[in-house]
Amino acid sequence: MTSWMPGRPFQLLFRLFFAYMAALLGGTIFIIINNLVFHQLPMNSMLLFHIPFLLASDIIFALVLLVFTWFRLNPLFRNAHATKLAVLKSNLTDPSGKEQLFRRLLRFPYELFVSVVVLAAVFIVLFHTSDIVRHRAALSIPYGWNKLAISISSELGLTFVVGILLFSLSRATLRPYLLQLHLTAVSGFKPSSMQRSLYLICCVCFAITFMASGRFALLAMTEKVIDLPVYGLVAGMYTLFSISVVVLFVRNWQRDLHIITTKLYQLGGDDQTMPFQAVPLFSDDEVASLTIAFNQVQERLSAMYDEVAEQLALARDIQQRLLPAALPVTDPLQLAVYCEPCYEVGGDFYDVIPIDDTKMIMAIGDVAGKGMSAAIVMTAILAGLREEAAKGGSSGQMMSRLNEQLYSIAKGRLFVTVGLAVIRCKEEVVEVDYTSAGHLSPYVVADGIVRELAGSSLPLGVADDCSYTEAERTFLLAKGQTLVMQTDGIVDALDAHNELFGFERWENELRQIDWRNEPTFVLKQLLERLPNSNNRSQSDDRTIMLIRHH
């Protein structure tokens, strides 16, 4: 992924300059309010001198902060010249270099805040110390000390306002760049507690509010008449500013937590591609701990999914090998089969077992459930079916013996629907001996006429003493007719409007097909008319068998 850092390192300086200007202008607004309310300076005088001076000072101080930024974030900006971009790019693709830059970007807002506050405190101390030395006599009365306290509290309050704005805005500006580093883990990284930031912000905001209220009390002591509504409004403004800063910090922290919780919900969802996208680190608090833990869980789950996917692919290959590799050619019959599980493996199955030149057994079935468990049962049913086919007998007799096998294994805990057809071909006569064990009724179709062969019995595995000979049905498949056998995944398919495809629409599609074509071509046309025929969003396995007497 191409990063902003090698090609546009000065973009960060440009954005930080505007962040610094925004913070300093915020401080300027508070200074103007203080001058108007507390010092009662006329607006005309401020427009002529004070405000232009303050704006010029903001620009100069913002440039000084940019120099400080250049010094503290030196690894990012050095060698940024076009002739040395390759060197910088190699440094930033190295994990240790990215980790070093990550730590610097995280620490920078704190360093900026501390530097501004300490620098301002030093200037305040030096200025008022010299002022005390020069006007020592004026401080001999309480009025002089009150004035000094008011001035110091005002200056410290403004310092904290500017400092907390610089901290918040620089942190917000650096956050996208932290994300673009795309670090999902940092060696030796020990996340700190978000309480550090919360304590810092709460203490600073408390100091701002306290100093505003304290200044109001000191003014009440030094002035005989004060404008309570105006002074109260200013004190409330400082308090509202402090509350807003705390609320904004908490909201940002909630936003960071929301990123992780959203990813956790995705991890537990059905989408197996979205969750395995690592979340980059963008903080050094509890959210960072959650991010690292989440990425570790994703990595392990990804490895597990890969292993399961490999095993399922192997199971699917084995399952496909159990199904007939090729359909036998038996005049006067033409065969076509489609079988597709909704997952990697499924419970639908079919089989075509030639007995001799004139007889074959065709079966279609559906194991209750889907996935690996259904595939295992399907494998057992196919093995039992081939064993019973070798023993011979009518379709009902084979179904009864197959039911005994399944019930002895599952003891009624699962069931399988099966449609079994014993087909005998004598010259131009095709006789079908069909038995259904709870399976969907097949259809005999020809020339737009669809005839349902109703009649069924209990699914296999439900009861041990169930006889299926009474469910046998024998009929002749005339020339030009096609026997259509399907599983419930065909009629239970959902269309684009989330409505069932249903028997009526399925039978209507059977009527509209030209059955004079080859069964393979007819099968292709049928599949194209089914919902979700071109994707894997189907909710059940699908199997269709076509046996045409041509």
Side-chain angles (χ1 to χ4, degrees):
M1 182 178 65
T2 303
S3 173
W4 60 273
M5 294 176 185
R8 294 179 292 169
F10 293 100
Q11 185 186 70
L12 178 58
L13 277 180
F14 184 74
R15 293 185 178 182
L16 283 174
F17 176 78
F18 280 98
Y20 297 157
M21 284 299 300
L24 294 170
L25 287 174
T28 299
I29 292 173
F30 278 91
I31 293 175
I32 294 173
I33 294 174
N34 286 338
N35 288 334
L36 289 173
V37 176
F38 295 105
H39 303 293
Q40 297 181 351
L41 296 178
M43 178 58 74
N44 292 336
S45 174
M46 293 184 64
L47 289 174
L48 290 174
F49 176 74
H50 290 84
I51 293 178
F53 176 78
L54 289 172
L55 293 177
S57 300
D58 289 343
I59 295 174
I60 294 172
F61 194 49
L63 294 174
V64 172
L65 290 177
L66 281 184
V67 174
F68 174 79
T69 303
W70 180 278
F71 174 75
R72 294 305 303 159
L73 300 182
N74 185 257
L76 174 62
F77 302 115
R78 69 185 177 201
N79 298 330
H81 193 270
T83 58
K84 299 182 179 180
L85 284 180
V87 176
L88 179 62
K89 188 178 295 186
S90 64
N91 289 338
L92 292 177
T93 53
D94 176 54
S96 60
K98 292 176 69 174
E99 291 174 5
Q100 180 187 8
L101 181 56
F102 175 77
R103 290 189 173 95
R104 290 211 177 199
L105 290 174
L106 281 178
R107 290 196 304 264
F108 181 74
Y110 297 95
E111 295 173 349
L112 185 64
F113 173 81
V114 172
S115 300
V116 169
V117 171
V118 170
L119 183 63
V122 169
F123 276 108
I124 291 172
V125 170
L126 292 176
F127 174 79
H128 288 291
T129 300
S130 64
D131 196 43
I132 290 172
V133 172
R134 287 185 291 109
H135 304 89
R136 186 177 303 174
L139 297 175
S140 59
I141 58 175
Y143 178 83
W145 286 107
N146 286 346
K147 284 289 188 180
L148 177 62
I150 292 172
S151 180
I152 292 176
S153 65
S154 176
E155 292 161 359
L156 285 177
L158 290 171
T159 297
F160 284 131
V161 167
V162 173
I164 204 65
L165 286 174
L166 286 171
F167 174 82
S168 302
L169 293 175
S170 63
R171 199 175 184 206
T173 304
L174 292 175
R175 188 177 185 276
Y177 297 89
L178 284 167
L179 290 172
Q180 291 187 42
L181 281 174
H182 206 72
L183 276 178
T184 57
V186 179
S187 58
F189 182 60
K190 296 181 180 180
S192 61
S193 175
M194 61 86 60
Q195 293 177 352
R196 181 184 68 172
S197 301
L198 187 59
Y199 288 158
L200 171 66
I201 290 176
C202 288
C203 290
V204 171
C205 291
F206 174 78
I208 293 172
T209 305
F210 176 77
M211 289 176 183
S213 302
R215 193 184 332 160
F216 179 79
L218 291 171
L219 282 169
M221 295 170 58
T222 57
E223 298 183 12
K224 295 180 179 180
V225 179
I226 60 174
D227 192 343
L228 286 175
V230 175
Y231 288 164
L233 181 62
V234 174
M237 182 187 67
Y238 276 92
T239 304
L240 181 61
F241 170 80
S242 302
I243 294 174
S244 301
V245 170
V246 174
V247 171
L248 181 62
F249 173 79
V250 174
R251 292 279 305 245
N252 288 338
W253 196 63
Q254 289 177 329
R255 177 196 60 185
D256 295 342
L257 281 177
H258 180 70
I259 295 175
I260 304 301
T261 54
T262 301
K263 289 290 185 179
L264 285 172
Y265 281 121
Q266 291 177 350
L267 192 64
D270 296 331
D271 192 350
Q272 297 181 6
T273 58
M274 273 295 292
F276 304 131
Q277 297 176 359
V279 179
L281 291 172
F282 47 82
S283 66
D284 60 347
D285 50 27
E286 285 82 357
V287 176
S289 300
L290 285 173
T291 303
I292 293 173
F294 176 78
N295 289 334
Q296 290 175 348
V297 170
Q298 277 202 124
E299 186 177 353
R300 293 179 183 177
L301 283 178
S302 179
M304 292 173 60
Y305 267 101
D306 290 341
E307 183 179 354
V308 170
E310 185 177 348
Q311 293 175 355
L312 286 175
L314 179 61
R316 179 182 177 85
D317 183 62
I318 294 173
Q319 187 181 45
Q320 293 299 315
R321 291 175 184 270
L322 290 173
L323 299 176
L327 298 178
V329 179
T330 304
D331 285 334
L333 298 179
Q334 292 177 328
L335 310 177
V337 180
Y338 170 82
C339 183
E340 180 68 20
C342 64
Y343 300 135
E344 283 78 1
V345 291
D348 276 15
F349 65 90
Y350 72 94
D351 206 353
V352 180
I353 307 172
I355 304 299
D356 53 39
D357 293 341
T358 61
K359 179 181 177 182
M360 72 168 59
I361 296 173
M362 302 190 69
I364 187 173
D366 185 4
V367 180
K370 297 178 283 292
M372 186 64 77
S373 59
I376 294 174
V377 177
M378 181 271 282
T379 303
I381 289 294
L382 282 176
L385 177 63
R386 290 165 186 174
E387 179 183 349
E388 297 305 328
K391 294 179 181 178
S394 65
S395 61
Q397 292 171 341
M398 285 188 283
M399 197 80 84
S400 299
R401 297 195 300 265
L402 190 59
N403 178 69
E404 293 176 0
Q405 288 189 27
L406 181 61
Y407 189 86
S408 64
I409 297 173
K411 302 298 181 183
R413 291 190 297 269
L414 57 85
F415 62 90
V416 181
T417 67
V418 179
L420 182 63
V422 179
I423 302 177
R424 295 178 177 86
C425 301
K426 298 179 180 178
E427 297 179 354
E428 295 298 322
V429 178
V430 177
E431 182 185 77
V432 181
D433 173 16
Y434 181 81
T435 299
S436 173
H439 200 72
L440 297 184
S441 299
Y443 297 92
V444 175
V445 186
D447 299 328
I449 300 174
V450 177
R451 179 165 58 97
E452 180 183 359
L453 301 177
S456 184
S457 186
L458 291 176
L460 300 181
V462 174
D464 60 341
D465 57 350
C466 185
S467 175
Y468 292 87
T469 54
E470 296 179 0
E472 291 182 12
R473 179 168 182 171
T474 303
F475 61 92
L476 297 178
L477 189 66
K479 190 170 184 178
Q481 290 184 333
T482 301
L483 177 64
V484 181
M485 303 164 69
Q486 67 281 314
T487 58
D488 59 1
I490 301 299
V491 294
D492 290 344
L494 297 177
D495 61 16
H497 303 289
N498 207 32
E499 296 179 356
L500 282 176
F501 187 62
F503 289 97
E504 183 177 349
R505 291 167 65 182
W506 172 239
E507 292 171 4
N508 185 53
E509 295 297 342
L510 294 179
R511 291 188 186 95
Q512 295 179 11
I513 292 291
D514 186 358
W515 292 94
R516 293 172 298 180
N517 295 315
E518 294 284 334
T520 53
F521 182 77
V522 171
L523 183 59
K524 181 180 178 181
Q525 287 184 311
L526 284 173
L527 293 176
E528 290 175 350
R529 301 185 182 194
L530 292 177
N532 304 322
S533 60
N534 296 321
N535 57 57
R536 297 297 307 277
S537 61
Q538 62 193 58
S539 59
D540 199 0
D541 307 331
R542 295 177 175 182
T543 303
I544 303 175
M545 295 187 72
L546 303 181
I547 303 103
R548 180 172 183 265
H549 182 187
H550 70 92

